[in-house]
Amino acid sequence: MVTRRDFLKATALTVTAVSAGIKFQPKSYAEATTASGEVKFVPSICAMCPAACSIQVEVRDGKVYRIHGTPEHPINNGKICARGNAGVERLYNPDRLKKPLIRTGEKGTWSFREASWDEAISLIASKVKEYHDLGHPEYIGMLGGWLPCSYYKPFFKAFLAALGTPNGAGVPEALCFISKALGWKSAYGFGSHPELLTDYENARYVIMLRRNVAGSISVVHGWRLGQNRRRFKLVVLDPRYSETAAKADLWLPIKPGTDLAFLLATMNVIINEKLYDSNFLAKYTNAPMLLKDGKPFKVWDENGKKKYLVYDLAKASAVEHDIALLPALEGEYEVDGEKVIPVFEALKRKVAEYTPEWAEKETDIPAEKIREIARDFALHRGVIDSGWHGPKYRNSLLTWRAAAMVNALVGSVNNDGGLLFTGFAQFVSAKAKSSEAPPQSVLRMWAEKRGIATAFLGHTVQAFYDAIVNKDPYPIKMLFVVGHNLLMNMPERQKWEKAMKKLEFMVAVDILPQDHLYYADVVLPESTYIEKDDPLFPIAYAPAFGFHSRIKAIDPVYDTKHVIEMMVEISRSIGTEDVYFKALSKGLGVDATKLKEYYYAEGVAGIRRAQAEAKGVNYNELLSKGYVVKATRDKIVYNMPYKQPLPTPTGKVELYSFMLASFASKAEDPYWDPIIKWVPPKVSERRLGSNEFYLIYSRSPFTTHSSTSDNPVLAKLIEDAELYYKGIWINSERAAELGIKNGDRVIVESVYTGDKTEAIAFVNELVRKDTIFTVSGFGQSSEKLTHIPQRGMTMMKLAPLQFDSLSGTVMSQETVVRISRV
């Protein structure tokens, strides 16, 4: 049995790891570098998780000694976590891939020989040409981790163009954030990780759901929360007592997948008790927009935005929203012989049935507690946190939309204490046009065939399985896998093992010998972030805007290359180098001839120089500091929607979503609604048996998915709290019923996939009785990873390969498992 004291003792490891050895930070790294020839500090960006913290790499006598955070950088303000500190161990990890490898034996075995880069690139190019000669370059596909999904996206799109295939995707969209991003976007016009930031510095009341800031990835949010924690009241909804729950004023052990019900009941209270900000709703949202039979009444387009009618109480008539003096939020009116109501009135009617008493039955949170929280939230103009890992349930999109709407009801939108729109969102996303997958993409065709509303986005990576195994909609025969451990991250691992065996040819780009490499035909070793120059990236995750980059700290320790160099060399070998640079030019907004010229003169650093020139960035300042800030918080906060329109169809916060309305013909009820509605989680349809549980998961402060588990320093930290991080959390009462004791080995079996995995029971009272919890990212089988003290549970054997018909995401927590003793 673990006590609260034991729990807090375990979570203290996070603090210890984060603060370990950060006693020395020069006031100016640039001055320190100049002052000594033996010690230098090289600016870079951490790549131990997607948060992109700014760092300074301390190099002594040509060897990396340690890593520091960059003081005053708007993302992390000099803070780095345990993983950031352990970046040195990634660099010098003896398990690293050291040379290109070519398969010599059966797939599924580690049967490789070392090869030169010329031989490996030539072999890959010859295989690509085979499909070109057949007239089917579309048989080639590419999957990648967070790099092709974000930072390197223009480079990977250019590589797809050079390969001549429409079939490529960044996996995190479907596995990590697209449903959350679309939920926020349906109200605000943007909503991905880098675009939203909770203003912990000025917040007075914060509600956090489906997130564990204090014990997960993203230092960019964690340090702000921790530094300002005593300034606001924190309410955490989580089925288990997480590290963040331990720091909360109130922990609500909510039933898995029912956060949407809590938010709907919160709206019910705020609206019925008139606790909302009517001024904000009238001016900055489309709450006054008139509807007839649930659809917009007389809407037209003007200058790229939708215009609409509102009922002006001052004039007692319907007028264009921009000229209304007193737009009505409630009531029913007759306009041109038609009965119409404002959007807000429609919302009020929709949430009328979602009372706290109703929500109590769905969530297991007492009705009076919901009512109390809703009142306090409105009184303090609280904020629903921006969230992180989204695609857990079929109601995820509507859950995050509801969060956006609750914030809007009290006016907590891009202002002090509210949810901020970062500089990245306002200077990048607002100007960017939405991209669609090519019509012939297997991802798009597969999703359209299954009625997925967002099929046009082409993010349904589940399609690759059917394309490889079932040739549906047509075959994928050659696959590039870049920085993504397919077998540890994709649901139904056993299906992907089958798929990889069936591939004619697979190229894997990675740093470590991950599980999926056992099925590769060619393995290309990538340099770590410390060993390479990088392009220019916009600063994200911060109430500021600018650019930053990685400066190479040392030459590669082994015979490795930058993935961009690999793509250029493969493109050159197949004769499509000019196609690559032309497509890259379009993605970066830089002249193609200059990109190519600068690249061959300076490598990837040349691309960075060309970008800096095109964007007016002071290159010397960039090389000295690692970053250049163009706009501070003062220019960001209170900008949208107060001074400039939002990138929504109306330019306002949309309580009636035109985006969701456009899905009406593409997805069947009940998985869409242009305003909001209740959709229960899929797992609620099953009555749990005596040994069945809902399966939930989170990350740990010491791991980023599966990519950091083979790190000697981080492995040691995890080893010191092995049950806590690698066991499955099971409630003590339920464990006793099943005869399970703390430390027992148990079998965990998915009721959906039928697959099983072993785990160690961590018996405690910090998780709901109907739920088991695990930390994801453990359970690797690669014997080439030697720094993993105990392998842990392979969670992705248990989650079914499924999709939400609205967003197309994997619904990774729509899983029920059976537990039994070994």
Side-chain angles (χ1 to χ4, degrees):
M1 184 71 63
V2 65
T3 65
R4 185 175 186 276
R5 178 175 293 181
D6 293 331
F7 176 88
L8 294 174
K9 183 178 179 181
T11 59
L13 285 170
T14 307
V15 179
T16 302
V18 171
S19 60
I22 311 183
K23 296 177 181 177
F24 171 64
Q25 285 192 336
K27 184 176 181 181
S28 168
Y29 285 107
E31 291 174 5
T33 300
T34 305
S36 172
E38 296 179 354
V39 179
K40 63 177 182 178
F41 295 87
V42 183
S44 188
I45 303 171
C46 183
M48 297 296 280
C49 92
C53 291
S54 181
I55 57 173
Q56 301 288 329
V57 181
E58 184 177 348
V59 180
R60 297 191 178 191
D61 299 322
K63 187 173 181 179
V64 174
Y65 178 72
R66 64 176 308 166
I67 295 171
H68 308 267
T70 303
E72 300 180 1
H73 191 283
I75 288 182
N76 57 309
N77 195 30
K79 313 297 191 301
I80 55 173
C81 68
R83 286 155 304 184
N85 275 282
V88 179
E89 307 305 320
R90 169 173 285 185
L91 172 67
Y92 294 117
N93 189 337
D95 289 348
R96 277 186 63 187
L97 299 167
K98 301 174 178 66
K99 291 182 70 68
L101 302 173
I102 293 177
R103 178 161 297 285
T104 58
E106 183 182 354
K107 285 193 176 186
T109 66
W110 193 268
S111 304
F112 295 101
R113 65 174 175 83
E114 292 186 346
S116 68
W117 277 98
D118 286 345
E119 182 184 10
I121 296 295
S122 295
L123 177 57
I124 294 168
S126 68
K127 291 296 180 180
V128 172
K129 288 178 181 177
E130 285 182 19
Y131 296 110
H132 281 218
D133 292 342
L134 289 171
H136 288 294
E138 74 275 11
Y139 288 178
I140 304 169
M142 183 173 68
L143 285 175
W146 73 68
L147 294 180
C149 195
S150 55
Y151 306 112
Y152 294 168
K153 191 169 187 176
F155 297 87
F156 281 90
K157 290 183 74 172
F159 187 51
L160 288 171
L163 293 173
T165 179
N167 296 314
V171 173
E173 285 184 322
L175 268 64
C176 186
F177 70 83
I178 194 68
S179 56
K180 185 203 78 164
L182 289 174
W184 290 108
K185 184 177 180 178
S186 71
Y188 300 153
F190 35 61
S192 64
H193 292 343
E195 297 172 333
L196 301 177
L197 187 71
T198 303
D199 187 15
Y200 298 126
E201 287 84 352
N202 299 290
R204 295 195 295 168
Y205 198 104
V206 178
I207 296 177
M208 191 171 294
L209 54 96
R210 297 188 185 178
R211 190 176 193 193
N212 181 22
V213 171
S216 189
I217 64 176
S218 184
V219 174
V220 300
H221 298 262
W223 78 265
R224 284 190 165 94
L225 180 141
Q227 189 164 286
N228 298 283
R229 175 60 198 88
R230 295 186 178 182
R231 298 184 181 183
F232 56 84
K233 184 171 184 177
L234 177 62
V235 177
V236 172
L237 282 67
D238 198 317
R240 69 119 186 178
Y241 192 67
S242 66
E243 290 92 339
T244 307
K247 302 177 187 304
D249 297 283
L250 180 63
W251 169 50
L252 301 175
I254 192 169
K255 185 178 180 181
T258 64
D259 312 81
L260 175 58
F262 172 87
L263 294 172
L264 290 170
T266 300
M267 280 193 261
N268 174 288
V269 174
I270 291 174
I271 292 173
N272 286 334
E273 298 188 10
K274 297 189 179 299
L275 304 174
Y276 50 84
D277 185 338
S278 58
N279 183 61
F280 180 86
L281 292 171
K283 285 187 176 182
Y284 305 115
T285 81
N286 69 347
M289 184 176 73
L290 295 178
L291 302 177
K292 178 183 178 294
D293 298 329
K295 296 181 180 180
F297 178 69
K298 295 187 178 180
V299 172
W300 66 98
D301 293 333
E302 186 178 304
N303 298 323
K305 291 295 179 184
K306 291 191 177 298
K307 300 290 185 177
Y308 52 85
L309 294 180
V310 303
Y311 194 84
D312 191 345
L313 295 173
K315 299 178 181 179
S317 64
V319 301
E320 183 181 335
H321 68 87
D322 284 341
I323 62 173
L325 298 176
L326 189 60
L329 293 176
E330 300 180 75
E332 183 172 311
Y333 306 93
E334 185 172 311
V335 178
D336 297 339
E338 303 282 1
K339 288 185 177 181
V340 294
I341 62 172
V343 166
F344 186 79
E345 176 68 27
L347 173 61
K348 180 180 178 180
R349 295 179 185 184
K350 277 185 174 292
V351 300
E353 63 182 294
Y354 305 133
T355 64
E357 287 71 25
W358 164 84
E360 178 177 351
K361 295 175 183 177
E362 299 290 344
T363 64
D364 290 340
I365 300 173
E368 280 311 305
K369 182 57 66 175
I370 295 174
R371 196 168 275 109
E372 174 191 326
I373 291 170
R375 291 166 178 164
D376 283 353
F377 181 87
L379 176 65
H380 295 94
R381 199 172 74 171
V383 58
I384 308 291
D385 184 78
S386 58
W388 190 267
H389 185 47
K392 295 182 177 183
Y393 301 95
R394 69 180 174 190
N395 62 20
S396 286
L397 189 155
L398 291 180
T399 298
W400 293 110
R401 170 162 175 76
M405 295 174 74
V406 172
N407 284 342
L409 285 178
V410 298
S412 290
V413 180
N414 201 32
N415 50 30
D416 291 334
L419 191 73
L420 305 183
F421 303 150
T422 67
F424 180 88
Q426 299 185 55
F427 286 83
V428 180
S429 297
K431 298 178 182 179
K433 295 181 179 179
S434 61
S435 59
E436 294 189 7
Q440 66 273 33
S441 162
V442 294
L443 291 87
R444 180 169 181 169
M445 294 172 68
W446 181 91
E448 287 174 343
K449 183 177 179 180
R450 286 155 180 80
I452 296 172
T454 58
F456 64 95
L457 295 176
H459 62 263
T460 45
V461 296
Q462 305 95 312
F464 273 106
Y465 171 77
D466 278 316
I468 295 168
V469 175
N470 302 317
K471 301 180 182 179
D472 177 18
Y474 58 79
I476 292 292
K477 297 185 176 183
M478 179 178 181
L479 186 66
F480 288 83
V481 182
V482 184
H484 170 66
N485 191 344
L486 219 64
L487 295 181
M488 288 302 299
N489 297 318
M490 292 294 286
E492 279 195 84
R493 175 185 172 119
Q494 62 275 27
K495 283 189 174 181
W496 294 98
E497 289 174 337
K498 177 182 177 181
M500 286 191 287
K501 283 183 178 179
K502 192 164 184 177
L503 281 168
E504 291 182 359
F505 201 80
M506 175 174 155
V507 180
V509 177
D510 220 304
I511 294 169
L512 290 165
Q514 309 280 12
D515 289 13
H516 67 290
L517 268 59
Y518 283 70
Y519 297 87
D521 295 283
V522 176
V523 176
L524 300 180
E526 188 181 10
S527 299
T528 66
Y529 61 101
I530 297 172
E531 302 166 296
K532 62 186 182 185
D533 286 297
D534 244 342
L536 193 66
F537 303 124
I539 290 174
Y541 307 104
F545 181 71
F547 298 94
H548 59 170
S549 185
R550 294 185 177 95
I551 315 298
K552 183 195 292 186
I554 62 169
D555 289 328
V557 175
Y558 303 113
D559 188 13
T560 61
K561 287 182 182 289
H562 196 306
V563 68
I564 293 176
E565 295 173 325
M566 299 178 203
M567 292 189 288
V568 172
E569 291 182 18
I570 293 170
S571 301
R572 186 168 64 243
S573 295
I574 63 177
T576 58
E577 177 187 22
D578 287 340
V579 175
Y580 179 85
F581 280 104
K582 184 177 180 180
L584 185 61
S585 169
K586 184 178 179 181
L588 297 180
V590 181
D591 178 72
T593 302
K594 179 176 285 190
L595 277 175
K596 186 175 180 180
E597 176 188 343
Y598 280 29
Y599 173 79
Y600 282 113
E602 302 178 49
V604 177
I607 294 177
R608 179 176 62 218
R609 184 186 294 275
Q611 289 178 278
E613 289 180 3
K615 297 181 184 302
V617 173
N618 185 316
Y619 199 59
N620 289 331
E621 182 183 358
L622 178 71
L623 295 182
S624 174
K625 294 171 54 182
Y627 70 99
V628 174
V629 172
K630 291 281 190 177
T632 60
R633 177 187 169 108
D634 292 341
K635 277 193 174 182
I636 305 301
V637 182
Y638 289 99
N639 180 25
M640 296 179 177
Y642 310 97
K643 300 173 185 176
Q644 295 183 14
L646 287 170
T648 59
T650 61
K652 296 177 180 291
V653 176
E654 293 197 349
L655 299 189
Y656 177 97
S657 170
F658 281 89
M659 183 190 85
L660 287 184
S662 71
F663 294 162
S665 62
K666 302 173 184 177
E668 296 180 0
D669 196 64
Y671 304 114
W672 73 272
D673 190 286
I675 298 180
I676 197 68
K677 72 183 303 181
W678 166 241
V679 175
K682 182 179 176 181
V683 287
S684 67
E685 297 171 356
R686 181 184 181 87
R687 182 168 181 169
L688 297 179
S690 60
N691 66 338
E692 292 181 354
F693 299 80
Y694 303 120
L695 175 64
I696 67 169
Y697 64 91
S698 184
R699 315 300 186 192
S700 88
F702 310 124
T703 55
T704 303
H705 317 307
S706 61
S707 67
T708 56
S709 54
D710 187 68
N711 185 297
V713 168
L714 298 177
K716 180 60 180 175
L717 291 172
I718 294 166
E719 191 178 54
D720 290 341
E722 191 128 41
L723 268 184
Y724 178 82
Y725 289 116
K726 288 195 172 180
I728 61 161
W729 293 35
I730 182 170
N731 181 272
S732 56
E733 185 176 323
R734 293 296 303 281
E737 292 172 0
L738 298 174
I740 295 172
K741 297 182 177 63
N742 198 49
D744 281 355
R745 295 207 66 83
V746 296
I747 299 293
V748 186
E749 178 185 6
S750 171
V751 302
Y752 299 126
T753 71
D755 207 352
K756 303 176 182 178
T757 182
E758 282 197 16
I760 299 176
F762 177 35
V763 178
N764 60 71
E765 295 177 355
L766 305 175
V767 64
R768 284 175 55 97
K769 294 177 183 178
D770 58 4
T771 303
I772 67 163
F773 165 83
T774 188
V775 172
S776 68
F778 296 111
Q780 293 93 327
S781 59
S782 173
E783 295 300 325
K784 296 295 179 179
L785 300 171
T786 63
H787 297 110
I788 304 177
Q790 187 268 323
R791 296 274 159 171
M793 185 178 85
T794 310
M795 192 194 78
M796 280 306 172
K797 285 185 176 182
L798 308 174
L801 185 61
Q802 57 190 343
F803 60 88
D804 156 34
S805 66
L806 179 56
S807 67
T809 53
V810 297
M811 304 190 299
S812 52
Q813 281 188 179
E814 294 280 20
T815 305
V816 174
V817 295
R818 298 188 185 97
I819 308 294
S820 59
R821 295 180 62 187
V822 173

